[in-house]
């Protein structure tokens, strides 16, 4: 999907860190402009990128896990596991009663189902609890679902709950869930090792303090309690810090001066979120992995990596634990504060998507699913090159609730990677991800190649000692359903007798890439390159090289 035309930064309501919901009633964290650090050319140093799926639902457990596994994802994030749901009543003395398989969470059932499908799991633990909270949510459209700090007298009960969760799924033979599965085939039940504490804790949306000024410090208190409890249960537990959500403020390589202009002039919530994020990152002993979200275009990932590495250092892994596969294609800039790719006709596209009776519904739906596949592939490649350790794509199903325009989430309503219904039919995005995983996963290095011409993206991966190169074209102009695809000629010099070219799946029913063999003419293969990515297997001569990323070995990870 080509990027949109550049819009002057003075026009951008591009809130990097205000979360998905940008309603003015959200209590933004306190801002300290003097403390903000901006990207300074830092680099992440991750492992080979791992793919995951998010919002692994408690619904359709007989269908969802296996359908999602077709993507070849390794991780499944079990989101929104709330303390108050699992422990609905205050303990009697020191006696706690946990409803592990409560209907609205079904944690035992989810763990069993997603392990059985071969996933390694991440559980997002949230302190949401009506009987324990120190104050009600402060506002915003997310208030009903927002976590808030527990009263001081209940902090030990929160820690006891975290310890009980980790103990139940750590596979050490003590108080374990009996339904743990053998995922890796070693004959022993596999533990759950990864636990994320809250989500987007720096934004003032899903985590809200007793006041905006104290939200960050209260999160650090919660994080420390959770980390201590988790590690007491299992030394193998790994704690993810729930950090920020990146929107299109970062897209298309803005300069630090551009970013400072947005932070300084557009909205104090941006500055507040950055201030809070830097504050909670300082609690380095209380987390092992930094978790961020990306609800923007793939072009923003390099700047996001630079920014996180600048403020957090590169000693700890950074995971994208929530990423949109089709960011803001029809977003309403009056409600969701991003730069829409289709500002002129986004409303018409939205109307056609949501209304099966609309005469353009079928065509727009085909276009949207193709864009979703293309953009997800590009986000994987860019995340790998940028040094992230994991990319977790959402969502597993559509979110009809988000169609309410006052939520400001409408473009996320159709982000599901599986079609609605109990059959859970896979959409093209699943097969595009399977293609990138199958062809590029487990790479030893990735390097960006430049010099193929304006708008040509090229990344060469070394996979099993062989070069495999991903290409696509981006002319900087958004194409709609009725526009001809933008294209350019791609000339590849090679000494190979043939090059194999894989075109990623983008159409319904297409479960594998189209593969064509090209024999060079006088050492040259010429292709028409469009916004649909291709993968080229075989050695080619690169006009020029850019940054090389050498991932750490898995044995070096925490």
């Amino acid at each position: 999907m080509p990027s949109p035309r550049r819009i002057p930064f003075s026009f951008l309501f591009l809130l990097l860190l205000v979360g998905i919901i940008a309603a003015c009633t959200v209590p933004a964290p306190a801002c300290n402009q003097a403390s903000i650090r901006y990207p300074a050319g830092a680099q992440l140093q991750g492992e080979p990128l791992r793919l995951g799926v998010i919002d692994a639902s408690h619904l359709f457990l007989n269908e969802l896990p296996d359908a999602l596994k077709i993507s070849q994802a390794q991780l499944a994030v079990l989101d929104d596991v709330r303390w108050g749901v699992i422990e609905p009543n205050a303990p009697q003395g020191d006696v706690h009663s946990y409803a592990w398989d409560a209907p609205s969470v079904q944690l035992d059932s989810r763990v069993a189902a997603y392990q059985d499908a071969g996933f390694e799991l991440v559980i997002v633990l949230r302190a949401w609890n009506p009987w324990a909270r120190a104050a009600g949510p402060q506002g915003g459209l997310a208030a009903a679902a927002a976590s808030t700090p527990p009263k001081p007298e209940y902090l030990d009960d929160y820690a006891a709950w975290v310890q009980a969760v980790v103990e139940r799924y750590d596979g050490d033979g003590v108080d374990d869930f009996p339904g743990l599965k053998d995922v890796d085939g070693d004959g022993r039940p596999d533990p759950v090792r990864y636990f994320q504490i809250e989500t987007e804790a720096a934004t003032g949306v899903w985590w809200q303090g007793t006041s905006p000024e104290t939200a960050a410090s209260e999160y650090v208190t919660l994080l420390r309690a959770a980390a201590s409890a988790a590690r007491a249960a299992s030394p193998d537990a790994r704690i993810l810090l729930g950090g920020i959500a990146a929107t299109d403020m970062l897209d298309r390589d803005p300069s630090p001066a551009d970013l400072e202009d947005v932070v300084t002039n557009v909205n104090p919530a941006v500055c507040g979120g950055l201030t809070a994020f830097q504050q909670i990152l300082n609690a380095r002993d209380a987390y092992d992995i930094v978790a961020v979200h990306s609800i923007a275009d793939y072009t923003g990932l390099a700047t996001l990596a630079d920014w996180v590495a600048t403020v957090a250092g590169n000693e700890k892994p950074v995971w994208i634990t929530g990423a949109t596969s089709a960011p803001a294609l029809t977003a309403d800039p009056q409600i969701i504060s991003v730069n829409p790719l289709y500002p002129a006709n986004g409303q018409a596209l939205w109307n056609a998507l949501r209304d099966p009776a609309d005469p353009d519904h079928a065509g727009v739906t085909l276009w949207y699913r193709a864009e979703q596949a293309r953009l997800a592939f590009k986000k994987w490649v860019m995340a790998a090159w940028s040094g992230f350790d994991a990319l977790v794509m959402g969502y597993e199903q559509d979110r009809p609730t988000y169609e309410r325009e006052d939520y400001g989430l409408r473009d996320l309503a159709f982000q599901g990677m599986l079609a609605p219904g109990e059959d859970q039919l896979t959409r093209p995005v699943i097969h595009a991800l399977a293609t990138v995983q199958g062809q590029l996963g487990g790479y030893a290095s990735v390097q960006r190649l430049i010099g193929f011409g304006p708008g040509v993206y090229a990344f060469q991966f070394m996979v099993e000692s062989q070069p495999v190169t991903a290409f696509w074209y981006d002319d900087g102009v958004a194409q709609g359903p009725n526009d001809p695809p933008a294209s350019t000629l791609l000339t590849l010099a090679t000494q190979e007798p043939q090059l194999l070219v894989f075109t990623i799946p983008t159409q319904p029913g297409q479960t594998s890439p189209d593969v064509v063999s090209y024999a060079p003419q006088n050492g040259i293969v010429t292709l028409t390159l469009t916004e649909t990515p291709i993968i080229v297997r075989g050695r080619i001569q690169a006009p020029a090289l850019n940054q090389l990323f050498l991932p750490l070995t898995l044995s070096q990870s925490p």
Side-chain angles (χ1 to χ4, degrees), residues 243-319:
I244 62 173
T247 61
D248 62 0
M249 174 180 170
L250 305 182
D251 291 355
R252 294 166 297 284
D253 301 315
S255 69
D258 287 334
L259 296 174
E260 186 170 1
D261 181 61
V262 177
V263 172
T264 303
N265 299 318
V266 172
N267 191 301
V270 179
C271 175
L274 282 166
T275 302
F277 184 52
Q278 292 183 177
Q279 182 178 343
I280 64 179
L281 284 171
N282 288 333
R284 296 180 182 276
D285 60 306
Y287 64 91
D288 304 293
I289 298 166
V290 179
V292 298
H293 288 176
S294 171
I295 59 171
D297 190 46
Y298 70 90
T299 58
L301 290 183
T303 303
L304 176 61
D306 182 352
W307 205 335
V308 175
T310 297
V311 299
N314 59 15
E315 296 85 9
K316 293 181 184 290
V318 181
W319 290 16

Side-chain angles (χ1 to χ4, degrees), residues 475-488:
D475 68 350
V477 180
Q479 278 87 43
N482 299 317
D483 297 327
S487 64
T488 189

